[in-house]
Amino acid sequence: MSAANSPFGYALPHIQKMHGYTPGFQPKGDGWVKINTNENPYPPSPAVEAALKAAMGDVLRLYPDPRSEALREEAAKLHGVTPEQVIFGNGSDDVLNLLVRAFASESPASYLLPSYSLYPVLCGIQDTGTIEVPFDRSMELPFEALEKVEAKILFITSPNAPTGVGFSNVDLSRVIEGFDGIVVVDEAYADFAEQNATELLAKYRNLVVTRTFSKSYGLAGLRLGYALADKEVVEILDRVRDSYNVNRLSQAGGLAALKDQSYLKAVAAKICRTRDYYRAEWEKLGWFCYPSQSNFLFVEPRNAAGESGAAVAQDLFEFFKANKILVRYFPSSPLTDSFLRISVGDEDQMLRVSETIQKWLKNA
């Protein structure tokens, strides 16, 4: 290759054209309130630290269990399924990638908008077509539009991101029954929700439910997630995953976290109480906020003059950032450009958010 030639040109044509996933801004330095990526503001179960320390040492020179068997058995016990119905990955993103790889190469994948912005990126990597089904402002499932979708895999984030709106099992059943393909209910925030779809697994063989340890378990740094599905779906996913896709430390920490459900429920309940309190506080200001079943709030702010809209949301977003508070802004769609997504922080962080809002209202 000539030194003048760019290696970029050797990449596959569809890779040259695509854009990678854009994660939330990662700040440098101290003093930031980082509530832009829906992380848990509280530490994981103390049992996790003990398990990680026990897993250190000479065994790290050995490969991990390729199938994460202990994790599969514990998750199966938790959800009332068999271990053959469980697969683990390097974060639930890894599992979502496996699903696209296995079921969407030659046929398009479908997802709703707004939704998790990783879905189109995974489809772009696989060079598969996409069918986007838009919500309206009600954020209710668009049943008629979904019934017309011709794809082999459909992603539904429930509770939804970035709105926090959860979908009932009655509504999910209606979609699953009418869809000729795999329906993935991405339940990253299920532990903060009123209902989840795991009970539907016994009824629908084309249902896949994905979970993550990044939110309620407070283990985003370990990168661990899993899927529950019919054993034949799991068998297919096992064929296309990396041989050792979950490292030893993640397996040890994840197993300890799964076993400490009392800690999980206590932390999730605390986050939900904080979430509901601040939703009520912001509604007192006349702000619209979707009823959240997640660990964040999707709120449409109003300035001191009572105005809302994209300019108002962006102004508050920039004011937050100037005061070292990071939230998320989604300006790409008229359905989202007047809103901010604010992850639920701890009490001190949320108090600082509240005080900054009052300062903004006085200055606006």
Side-chain angles (χ1 to χ4, degrees):
M1 182 181 79
S2 169
N5 293 338
S6 169
F8 185 89
Y10 293 117
L12 295 172
H14 71 275
I15 299 296
Q16 294 183 39
K17 296 176 183 177
M18 68 170 285
H19 296 282
Y21 175 71
T22 303
F25 178 74
Q26 303 293 321
K28 295 181 179 179
D30 299 327
W32 288 89
V33 173
K34 186 178 181 295
I35 49 174
N36 62 330
T37 49
N38 300 339
E39 292 152 322
N40 193 322
Y42 302 107
S45 163
V48 172
E49 182 178 358
L52 292 177
K53 289 180 177 178
M56 297 291 288
D58 185 57
V59 293
L60 289 183
R61 66 184 175 80
L62 303 174
Y63 285 112
D65 177 357
R67 287 178 50 84
S68 307
E69 291 287 5
L71 280 170
R72 294 192 191 206
E73 291 173 4
E74 192 64 30
K77 189 189 309 180
L78 176 64
H79 296 293
V81 298
T82 66
E84 291 77 22
Q85 291 179 266
V86 187
I87 184 170
F88 272 77
N90 180 33
S92 61
D93 291 351
D94 180 30
V95 178
L96 296 173
N97 189 29
L98 297 179
L99 286 160
V100 173
R101 190 185 301 172
F103 294 103
S105 292
E106 297 181 0
S107 59
S110 185
Y111 50 85
L112 294 121
L113 284 179
S115 189
Y116 186 21
S117 57
L118 181 68
Y119 302 145
V121 175
L122 296 178
C123 292
I125 295 171
Q126 201 65 25
D127 197 21
T128 187
T130 58
I131 300 173
E132 299 176 340
V133 181
F135 284 103
D136 60 26
R137 188 173 166 104
S138 73
M139 295 298 165
E140 296 178 354
L141 288 173
F143 296 111
E144 292 185 6
L146 289 171
E147 289 170 359
K148 298 174 183 177
V149 170
E150 294 184 4
K152 288 302 178 187
I153 188 166
L154 168 65
F155 293 93
I156 300 176
T157 314
S158 181
N160 176 261
T163 65
V165 173
F167 307 115
S168 71
N169 284 348
V170 172
D171 287 348
L172 291 174
S173 295
R174 179 175 171 182
V175 175
I176 297 166
E177 289 175 0
F179 187 76
D180 185 20
I182 299 295
V183 176
V184 181
V185 179
D186 185 349
E187 291 193 335
Y189 307 99
D191 290 316
F192 308 104
E194 298 170 2
Q195 195 173 36
N196 64 72
T198 55
E199 67 182 50
L200 300 180
L201 289 164
K203 186 176 182 181
Y204 301 110
R205 298 189 68 194
N206 63 326
L207 170 64
V208 178
V209 176
T210 61
R211 294 289 184 93
T212 179
F213 284 70
S214 298
K215 313 302 181 185
S216 55
Y217 286 101
L219 291 173
L222 279 189
R223 308 306 303 131
L224 188 64
Y226 60 100
L228 309 168
D230 183 89
K231 64 180 182 179
E232 290 187 7
V233 172
V234 171
E235 181 185 348
I236 290 295
L237 297 180
D238 267 324
R239 295 180 186 182
V240 298
R241 68 172 171 82
D242 180 53
S243 302
Y244 303 97
N245 65 332
V246 180
N247 67 68
R248 277 186 173 272
L249 295 180
S250 294
Q251 289 189 36
L255 185 61
L258 276 178
K259 289 182 175 181
D260 197 353
Q261 288 297 302
S262 60
Y263 183 87
L264 167 78
K265 291 175 182 177
V267 169
K270 187 175 184 179
I271 290 171
C272 288
R273 287 193 299 270
T274 304
R275 175 197 69 195
D276 295 342
Y277 173 83
Y278 279 95
R279 180 191 172 196
E281 288 297 298
W282 294 335
E283 286 179 338
K284 290 177 184 176
L285 296 176
W287 297 9
F288 174 77
C289 188
Y290 283 102
S292 176
Q293 294 190 42
S294 60
N295 67 336
F296 58 85
L297 289 161
F298 200 57
V299 59
E300 187 175 45
R302 292 183 179 274
N303 61 21
E307 300 167 328
S308 62
V312 173
Q314 185 169 9
D315 185 64
L316 178 54
F317 173 77
E318 296 294 346
F319 191 83
F320 273 141
K321 192 171 183 180
N323 285 272
K324 304 193 79 171
I325 297 174
L326 293 176
V327 300
R328 201 73 186 265
Y329 179 48
F330 300 88
S332 59
S333 166
L335 279 176
T336 61
D337 65 7
S338 63
F339 288 80
L340 297 179
R341 192 193 70 190
I342 303 176
S343 305
V344 177
D346 62 27
E347 293 177 2
D348 290 340
Q349 289 174 322
M350 297 307 292
L351 179 60
R352 185 167 157 188
V353 168
S354 183
E355 291 172 346
T356 304
I357 289 172
Q358 292 302 319
K359 187 192 306 182
W360 174 75
L361 287 172
K362 291 178 181 178
N363 295 340

